Amino acid sequence: MSATPEEIAIRPFTFEFPEAELKDLRARIEAARWPEKETVTDQSQGPQLETMKELARYWASEYDWRKVEAKLKALPHFITEIDGLDIHFVHVRSKHENALPIIVTHGWPGSIIEQLKIIEPLTNPTAHGGSASDAFHVIIPSMPGYGFSGKPTTTGWGPERIARAWGELMKRLGYTKYVAQGGDWGAIVTDLMGAQEPEGLVGIHTNMPKVIPAAIDAALIAGNPLPAGLSLSDEEKRATEQLDFVYRHVYYAYMMASRPQTLTGLVDSPVGLAAFLLDHDKASLALISRSFAGQTEGLTRDDVLDNITLFWLTNTAISAARLYAENKTSFFGINGVTLPVAVSVFPDELYQAPKSWAEQAYPNLVHYNRLSKGGHFAAWEQPELLVEEIRAGLRSLR
């Protein structure tokens, strides 16, 4: 049965969170029951008690959700049903002629909050160090189960299906030529879009490239030694070591992939939710923890709590986690993308993709650059650097 015009219509979307919900959130934070202090002096056991107590104190007594809510409400929000599910997205058109449409996808534990800082520089480049020829029309969807998008009620909404849905979304918006960008899950979805080649997609930019040779990826996932006879450069050896560390320490991913419903406590305890969302990777945890110790390089306390609070208010901890259970593809393995690809490598990413691997994985590599600072959540942490990378990396595709 084909979709009806009403189902495929693009509809304006609004949201409202009553003060009673924020009051309940603060009460739950203040009533938190705390564990004893960790038995180590570092973060090897997860977010430290001192960090979590300061987060909770600030969240309950000083943090103001209405500030970011006002920023969100100032943007044009829409919703449309794709493949039986409501998909929410922000759509900001540039005032500049010949702007290039770009669909940008967030990751976990993220949301459209991740991309708020890059919207204005991408759509209005002349006010942010660029030229009119750098302009983009920006589309930022909420992934299924995240933020304001619908929550799947059946299995099947893995990254391949999301990638196809994004192609359908861009078609509905009338864009006949566009590019895609993403990090974390957004990088995986974007890479799959590149492999699927929906009509109109002319290239992608990724800040978490999927370039690991298949034999190396398979060995690392299984925890096995690398195949005999491999000849690796120093850069490739370093990347392999980083990936081995990642696969041995992404316990949150294994939990969500195998038993997402067991995490039900995350929708009952805001402090428990915050601790779980903070502990994505070693570098990101250190960055976030510093923000609650008075250092604001990269992220502020409000940045962190804006995202966590959106998870809480939309009750999406479990629905977002199920994406891991739906995934059937490698996080970093090659998808066979032949469209033009731009790659940006941030030093605190989960691994620094070697140029040699990028050239093998992406035969049409149009841009490769290693940045001096920044980590896994580039749009959130280092928006100026990422914006410049998007501009430079995709300039040849206009």
Side-chain angles (χ1 to χ4, degrees):
M1 181 182 297
S2 60
T4 67
E6 291 76 16
E7 289 172 332
I8 66 173
I10 293 173
R11 313 182 300 277
F13 176 82
T14 60
F15 63 92
E16 192 66 49
F17 295 110
E19 190 62 30
E21 292 190 30
L22 299 177
K23 184 178 180 180
D24 174 72
L25 169 59
R26 287 189 290 268
R28 287 170 181 264
I29 297 167
E30 291 170 346
R33 186 168 71 164
W34 295 101
E36 63 282 353
K37 188 178 185 296
E38 61 278 356
T39 56
V40 294
T41 58
D42 56 21
Q43 297 182 101
S44 59
Q45 293 183 353
Q48 292 174 299
L49 182 63
E50 181 182 9
T51 299
M52 293 309 304
K53 283 193 169 183
E54 174 56 21
L55 180 153
R57 183 204 65 77
Y58 181 78
W59 200 4
S61 63
E62 297 183 42
Y63 172 74
D64 184 3
W65 160 259
R66 298 302 186 193
K67 289 182 180 180
V68 72
E69 183 180 78
K71 293 178 183 178
L72 286 170
K73 286 186 173 182
L75 298 170
H77 294 256
F78 302 91
I79 202 159
T80 187
E81 184 178 322
I82 299 178
D83 204 6
L85 190 71
D86 277 343
I87 298 298
H88 160 266
F89 62 98
V90 169
H91 185 195
V92 183
R93 290 185 59 85
S94 174
K95 65 181 181 181
H96 295 290
E97 292 186 17
N98 302 316
L100 180 63
I102 183 169
I103 182 167
V104 185
T105 308
H106 65 81
W108 184 95
S111 64
I112 61 170
I113 297 287
E114 278 186 64
Q115 281 80 29
L116 289 183
K117 299 173 188 176
I118 68 173
I119 296 174
E120 173 67 14
L122 289 176
T123 57
N124 189 16
T126 55
H128 297 272
S131 64
S133 60
D134 289 321
F136 291 89
H137 301 308
V138 175
I139 301 91
I140 307 174
S142 298
M143 288 196 297
Y146 288 71
F148 300 117
S149 278
K151 301 175 182 180
T153 57
T154 60
T155 58
W157 273 101
E160 295 92 343
R161 190 172 179 182
I162 296 172
R164 290 192 296 271
W166 283 191
E168 172 63 22
L169 174 60
M170 297 303 279
K171 180 181 177 181
R172 288 188 190 180
L173 292 173
Y175 290 130
T176 57
K177 178 182 178 180
Y178 66 93
V179 291
Q181 196 283 329
D184 193 83
W185 276 113
I188 295 171
V189 170
T190 297
D191 209 88
L192 288 165
M193 290 182 72
Q196 294 170 4
E197 298 190 21
E199 185 177 357
L201 181 65
V202 297
I204 66 172
H205 174 274
T206 176
N207 53 283
M208 193 187 81
K210 289 169 59 63
V211 300
I212 307 178
I216 294 176
D217 195 34
L220 293 176
I221 291 174
N224 294 330
L226 295 180
L230 283 180
S231 178
L232 301 177
S233 68
D234 289 344
E235 189 179 39
E236 292 167 345
K237 288 178 182 177
R238 173 61 177 150
T240 301
E241 292 168 357
Q242 291 172 324
L243 286 162
D244 182 57
F245 182 87
V246 169
Y247 280 131
R248 292 178 187 274
H249 292 85
V250 287
Y251 303 118
Y252 66 90
Y254 298 137
M255 186 67 184
M256 289 188 286
S258 61
R259 311 287 288 179
Q261 206 70 17
T262 300
L263 299 170
T264 294
L266 301 184
V267 305
D268 188 57
S269 167
V271 171
L273 173 67
F276 193 76
L277 297 185
L278 258 58
D279 198 13
H280 178 276
D281 66 273
K282 182 178 180 180
S284 296
L285 176 58
L287 175 71
I288 291 169
S289 298
R290 289 197 299 269
S291 73
F292 289 97
Q295 301 179 43
T296 58
E297 169 63 25
L299 291 176
T300 67
R301 294 178 296 181
D302 282 6
D303 286 332
V304 175
L305 289 173
D306 289 344
N307 183 63
I308 297 172
T309 305
L310 182 63
F311 262 83
W312 177 264
L313 293 174
T314 55
N315 193 17
T316 47
I318 304 302
S319 56
R322 291 195 189 102
L323 178 57
Y324 285 83
E326 295 291 349
N327 182 48
K328 301 298 187 292
T329 185
S330 165
F331 288 129
F332 310 110
I334 297 169
N335 282 323
V337 179
T338 58
L339 288 176
V341 179
V343 169
S344 298
V345 179
F346 287 84
D348 290 326
E349 181 54 271
L350 300 180
Y351 82 108
Q352 281 72 66
K355 187 175 183 180
S356 57
W357 286 1
E359 290 172 335
Q360 294 170 27
Y362 304 128
N364 200 350
L365 184 70
V366 296
H367 174 87
Y368 176 93
N369 189 34
R370 298 176 74 95
L371 284 298
S372 61
K373 62 180 177 179
H376 187 66
F377 302 100
W380 207 21
E381 301 167 25
Q382 300 294 336
E384 295 87 358
L385 291 179
L386 183 67
V387 164
E388 182 51 41
E389 282 296 290
I390 293 172
R391 290 174 183 169
L394 299 174
R395 193 166 285 144
S396 66
L397 305 183
R398 290 181 176 274

